[in-house]
Every structure is written in structure tokens, then in C-alpha cells.
Amino acid sequence: MTLRTGRELLMTPGPTMIADSVLAAMHRPAIDVYAPGLAAITQSCIADLKPLFGTMSGEVYLYAANGHGAWEAALTNTLCRGDRILVLTSGLFAAGWGEMAATLGLQVDILPGSWRHAIDPEALAARLHADRDQAIRAILLVQVDTASGVLNDVAAIRRAIDAAGHPALLMVDVIASLGAHDVRMDEWGIDVAVAASQKALGMTPGLGIVAAGPRARTADADLRTFYWDWRFRDGPEHYKRWCGTAPEHLLFGLRQALDLIVAEGFDAVRRRHHLLAEAARCAITVWAQGGVLEFNVANPAERTDSVTVVLMPEGMSAPLLTFCRDICGVTLGGNIGACTNRGFRIGHMGQIDAPALLGTLAVIETGLRALGIPHGQGGTGTAVAALAKALR
Ligand SMILES: *Cc1c(COP(=O)(O)O)cnc(C)c1O
């Protein structure tokens, strides 16, 4: 017996669901790589990405790559072999960026954080004060850690750096926040922000996006390689802007994905993310009363609107994930890293709407009942009530 038909509901925290209009925009023949219209599309995408990054002074670079590619572009354009950097962890992804940095020949210090809490700006301040000769050249963190569900306070991190009078570059992975949360690159003094197409932007995987501020663009760097070197991409020539043939279809899709965001309005997009994330959190708060499910992130203020990470005892989530996918057609994210096999993730970023989110909650609740997993009663109803109140 199955209750699924047709297209699966992909509720993972990347890749995310892709609008039909985005898919349709990509379904066309290739065009001449020198066609003038192509350069105009690149330019317009960059122009529409800048306000999402919150930058007027920064430059945006697009790479045929994923988030890992954007990480490498950020590091190699700004740093020299042997430079010391400080990685602030709050889950999985900043640590992964740090591992990449180590293989590039950088000296990587870790400021250990917690899987369940945002980065503590005071711990950072203390670490920077201890760096008396100011050897640390860059500070790396993620705004939203997709593995832990933590939302870091980048403004508070910037204040800690300023209070310590430290000149390090601030590099922020906004891969899971760009398009879902406020990113204020100029205001928060972010020197490099990295993003990718397949998360809250609602595009297919395939594009790495880097925004670089003035300090990053003039930084002393000897790790540059031909493909990632953003100076090469600065000129007027479109072929060079992509370091070769533009990934035309990704560009057609990105243009349409950005059109959707522009048409909805970025404030409305963020509010939609927040309301739907709140609805998910309402349901989980109720289910948690059964004593089996719990939020990974303890403090509600540190929970992201992009993804909600739910913990369960070892082994209990696998049957639930299978039930949701195979019986009901909803694919949730499994937990990864320190939480592997212990719970699940609801991705709620990008092209996510009320029926997708409410349907997902109802399916999870159906699974909890069908599998006899203890849970507080009425979580989905509570989410409905919260949305109704917010929309009244
Ligand atoms: C998904 C993700 C990445 C990795 O992106 P890829 O496109 O898979 O390379 C890095 N950081 C964060 C916060 C992510 O969510």
C-alpha cells in the first residue's frame, strides 16, 4: 500500500525543490557562446544577486561549480601558503571548509563550538585578544549550518572582531542562508561570502557564487589558480568572465529563479521562510512532549529558518524516513555528521509553500502514529493554528 503518486516532495536542505518555470527556462537549445544576450543575462544575475548579499561595494563572481568550488575560490583568491586562519565551528560545514584550507597549505586553527549552539562571540573575542601579533589572516564561519540547524549571528561576530581591533578577513559561508535570511555583507563587514545555487535560491545544483568586498579583492594572495582567480573574471569579455564556455542552461535557470525572488519581493520571501519555519517548529515542540523527539538547537533564537534539525534516539528515525518517502512521497533529510542515524532534517528553504510544509508535517505525524513512536498529540494542528493566527 502506498499513498504516493507522481512527483516526490523533496524536503531536504539542498538540493531543494525547483519551480517548473525554472526547469522550463532550461529546456531549450544551446546558443552561440558569443551571443550578446548571454552576457546580458550574466550581468543581470549579478545585479540581482548583489542586494541578496547586501552589498553595493562587493563584486559577485559565478563559477560552474558547487558550494565547495565557491569555498576554494574564496580561499585561493585571498590567502598565501602558510597563512594562519581561524575556523569557528557550529556543526559540520565550517570544519569542512577548514579541512579544504589545510589541504591548500594554510595553517588552520579551530575555535571549537557546539553542535547545538551558535558561535559564542565572546569566545572569539578572547581568542583574538590572545593573537597578540595578529597572525590570523582570516576568520571562517557559516551563517547557517545545514547539519546542525544553527543560525549564527554574524553582526555579533563582527562586533567581537572590531572590539578586539583585529584586521583578519571575515569569510562567511551563506550557502544555506542566501535567499532565506538577511545577509548584510557591507553592514556586517563580511569580506567574502560564498553561496551556491541549489539551496534557498531554488535553482539546480551547478553554480558556485562568491561575493568579494574591497579588502578581499586587494588581499595579498599566492594560492590563486587559473580557474578560480577572480581577477581573470573582472574584465569586459564574457568568455573570460566564465573562464571559458558559460554553463548556458544554468544561467537560464538562475535568471528565472531570481525572477521569482524579485517578483515576490525579498522581504516577502524572507517572511514566507520565517512563517513556514515557525509552523514546523510549532509542530515539533508539541511532538517533543512525547519525550522522544527534540530540537537539536536548544535556544529558539539560534534556529535557522532554512532547515529544522530534529534529534531522535539511535535507530528510530530510519523507519520514519522510509515511511515518509516510500508510503507518502515526502523525502526528508537524514541527519549527518555528529547526528547521523539520530533524527531527521526538514529542509524548508527555496520554493517552499504552505501545502508543501503542512503536508510534510501531516505526513511526519502520520508516520509517528503508524510506527508507534511516542509523540505529543496535535503538532500539525498547532502549526495550522499558528499560521492562521499569523495570517489573520
Ligand atoms: C550544502 C552546503 C555546503 C556544500 O555545498 P555543495 O554545493 O554541496 O558543495 C556548504 N555549506 C553549507 C552551509 C551547506 O548548506
Side-chain angles (χ1 to χ4, degrees), residues 66-68 71 93 144 146 173 175-176 198-199:
N66 56 15
H68 280 68
W71 277 353
F93 284 98
V144 165
T146 333
D173 169 334
I175 293 175
Q198 79 276 19
K199 308 261 171 132

Side-chain angles (χ1 to χ4, degrees), residues 15 28 34 69 89 93 96 116-117 120 149 191 207 290 297 323 350 353 359:
R28 53 177 288 193
Y34 299 112
T89 64
F93 284 98
R116 306 195 66 175
H117 297 279
D120 175 8
D191 295 297
L207 291 173
V297 179
F323 179 95
D353 58 13

